[in-house]
Amino acid sequence: MSALKIKKGTSRHSAYDLRDPNSDIIESHTLTVLVDNEAGVLARVIGLFSGRGYNIESLTVAEVDHEGHLSRITIVTTGTPAVIEQIKAQLGRIVPVHQVNDLTVEGPSVERELALFKVEGTGDKRIEALRLAEIFRANVVDSTLQSFVFEMTGTSEKIDAFADLMRPLGLLETARTGVAALARGT
């Protein structure tokens, strides 16, 4: 730390990218990749990660422009700054890729994930599960006498926290969509 108590590095809100590209610190980055919506493109993008031993923590894909036949792939991955730069450069070289953005360093962004939770419970556990769902703004989308299915949208951290609280109450199953993200502003 410097005399001004400014930590070396960057934050999502920093105007300056002060990260050391040679650092050994593992960082999580959200990348968006605009690609042609055609057969085999996703396999090529994912093949780049698996072929080089990079990990994907979250992956979402959807067509975003029907007329232009474009899809948006949102990938959350981890690595050192040098590895992240290498991933972005290699993604940019794939022919059907039109644009690669790193939302983690390009400025503020909005990230959300959808999750479904099946929770069993009767009596007090059932009441506690409903109370926690209300606090987390989770919706009940299915209910039986023995279980609930909750639907929740939010950050990955919020979804993880809800899952942690539901485990002792009888969490049976979880399904998650993966992160969808957009840069804020214009």
Side-chain angles (χ1 to χ4, degrees), residues 142-160:
D142 184 55
S143 178
T144 67
L145 295 175
Q146 291 81 30
S147 68
F148 289 107
V149 175
F150 296 109
E151 171 191 69
M152 173 188 276
T153 58
T155 63
S156 296
E157 293 81 12
K158 177 182 174 183
I159 290 172
D160 290 340

Side-chain angles (χ1 to χ4, degrees), residues 32-35 72-73 91-92 96-101 106:
T32 61
V33 186
L34 192 63
V35 299
R72 181 183 178 101
I73 302 172
L91 282 170
V97 171
H98 294 278
Q99 186 176 358
V100 178
N101 292 316
E106 290 179 6

Side-chain angles (χ1 to χ4, degrees), residues 3-183:
L4 296 175
K5 297 184 180 180
I6 299 173
K7 293 181 183 177
K8 186 173 182 177
T10 186
S11 74
R12 305 182 89 170
H13 308 290
S14 175
Y16 304 100
D17 186 6
L18 303 175
R19 294 174 305 132
D20 179 8
N22 300 319
S23 172
D24 291 334
I25 297 173
I26 303 294
E27 303 173 340
S28 179
H29 284 252
T30 303
L31 307 176
T32 61
V33 186
L34 192 63
V35 299
D36 289 333
N37 186 20
E38 58 187 39
V41 174
L42 180 61
R44 291 175 68 185
V45 169
I46 301 312
L48 177 134
F49 282 81
S50 65
R52 289 165 179 79
Y54 304 143
N55 188 38
I56 295 175
E57 293 184 1
S58 173
L59 173 71
T60 58
V61 184
E63 187 176 43
V64 293
D65 182 0
H66 298 296
E67 294 174 7
H69 302 290
L70 296 175
S71 289
R72 181 183 178 101
I73 302 172
T74 305
I75 302 167
V76 178
T77 188
T78 56
T80 63
V83 167
I84 299 297
E85 289 303 318
Q86 185 178 19
I87 290 170
K88 292 189 300 189
Q90 291 171 347
L91 282 170
R93 285 195 283 269
I94 298 174
V95 171
V97 171
H98 294 278
Q99 186 176 358
V100 178
N101 292 316
D102 186 348
L103 297 180
T104 305
V105 296
E106 290 179 6
S109 63
V110 177
E111 296 183 5
R112 292 291 181 269
E113 187 173 355
L114 169 71
L116 297 173
F117 300 94
K118 184 185 284 185
V119 180
E120 72 173 341
T122 56
D124 289 341
K125 286 188 176 183
R126 187 175 180 90
I127 293 168
E128 181 66 10
L130 284 170
R131 188 184 70 76
L132 286 171
E134 185 177 336
I135 291 170
F136 277 83
R137 295 186 178 143
N139 298 316
V140 177
V141 293
D142 184 55
S143 178
T144 67
L145 295 175
Q146 291 81 30
S147 68
F148 289 107
V149 175
F150 296 109
E151 171 191 69
M152 173 188 276
T153 58
T155 63
S156 296
E157 293 81 12
K158 177 182 174 183
I159 290 172
D160 290 340
F162 185 72
D164 290 343
L165 291 172
M166 286 295 147
R167 273 190 194 91
L169 298 177
L171 180 64
L172 296 173
E173 266 184 277
T174 304
R176 296 174 75 156
T177 61
V179 174
L182 287 174

